[in-house]
Amino acid sequence: MMMNAENVLFQSFEIIGRDFSRAGSVSTKVKEILQEIGIDSTVIRRAAIAAYEAEMNVVMYANRGELALTITPKKIHFKVEDKGPGIEDIEMAMQEGYSTATEEMREMGFGAGMGLPNIKKNADKFEISSIPGSGTKLDITLHLNQAEKK
Ligand SMILES: Nc1ncnc2c1ncn2[C@@H]1O[C@H](COP(=O)(O)OP(=O)(O)OP(=O)(O)O)[C@@H](O)[C@H]1O
Ligand SMILES: [Mg+2]
């Protein structure tokens, strides 16, 4: 983990597609870092959910990806970028209950179609962009100054 002079922490993590044995390890590590530096537990809970859902989508749908965590005194930011099939219709993917999860994934308990809606719900700011045939990128921000909003 790196910290610069402005008290900004940065760490990036690799996520391997279809590796269910390691699935969840990145968001677990993120949660540990947030706990170590004493972030408010409510914010940790929301951040951990967002990181987990983003990580699982890379595991389930992409070939590989990266989660880049930045923590400043004001915010937590995740950039989750993957190489994979991308998302043809983002509006549809954002709808609660929409899922293209396979039977195998559903048997493991995934595929409720709630991951992306939950990321949006738990973030203060959420942006998603995708290039079909290339990959998907998420920008997820949570504010640390509760007075600012949410
Ligand atoms: N990184 C991604 N690359 C390609 N497609 C994606 C990606 N993330 C999401 N999708 C598509 O968007 C759909 C909705 O994603 P969402 O996370 O909301 O639900 P889910 O992963 O299907 O189920 P759940 O998250 O509840 O286990 C997915 O089924 C998939 O078709
Ligand atoms: Mg999902």
Side-chain angles (χ1 to χ4, degrees):
M1 185 157 52
M2 282 169 35
M3 190 194 299
N4 71 9
E6 284 85 41
N7 266 335
V8 176
L9 293 165
F10 179 81
Q11 188 164 338
S12 71
F13 306 86
E14 194 187 5
I15 304 167
I16 317 283
R18 284 169 281 274
D19 183 356
F20 282 88
S21 70
R22 282 213 268 165
S25 62
V26 168
S27 41
T28 298
K29 189 81 198 15
V30 165
K31 192 176 178 180
E32 283 167 7
I33 290 170
L34 299 180
Q35 282 167 339
E36 253 168 58
I37 61 176
I39 302 285
D40 169 78
S41 64
T42 308
V43 177
I44 293 180
R45 209 191 115 264
R46 290 166 47 214
I49 291 169
Y52 176 75
E53 295 295 351
E55 178 186 7
M56 285 315 305
N57 280 353
V58 175
V59 173
M60 291 203 288
Y61 305 111
N63 304 324
R64 63 194 162 86
E66 185 199 52
L67 183 152
L69 165 69
T70 306
I71 309 166
T72 77
K74 286 189 175 160
K75 64 184 169 76
I76 300 168
H77 179 260
F78 302 114
K79 185 181 79 179
V80 186
E81 214 166 357
D82 71 53
K83 300 268 179 258
I87 301 174
E88 206 80 53
D89 187 337
I90 288 178
E91 209 181 307
M92 190 183 273
M94 285 301 303
Q95 278 172 23
E96 293 187 5
Y98 175 81
S99 177
T100 61
T102 63
E103 197 51 49
E104 198 185 359
M105 293 170 187
R106 288 170 200 268
E107 276 165 17
M108 288 189 273
F110 304 109
M114 291 306 292
L116 292 174
N118 267 334
I119 295 171
K120 190 176 180 188
K121 201 171 77 188
N122 283 285
D124 289 310
K125 191 170 169 223
F126 175 57
E127 284 171 4
I128 175 168
S129 60
S130 186
I131 302 172
S134 174
T136 301
K137 184 182 153 190
L138 311 183
D139 275 290
I140 302 162
T141 307
L142 288 90
H143 298 312
L144 293 176
N145 182 347
Q146 295 304 294
E148 269 180 40
K149 78 170 191 228
K150 196 167 171 201

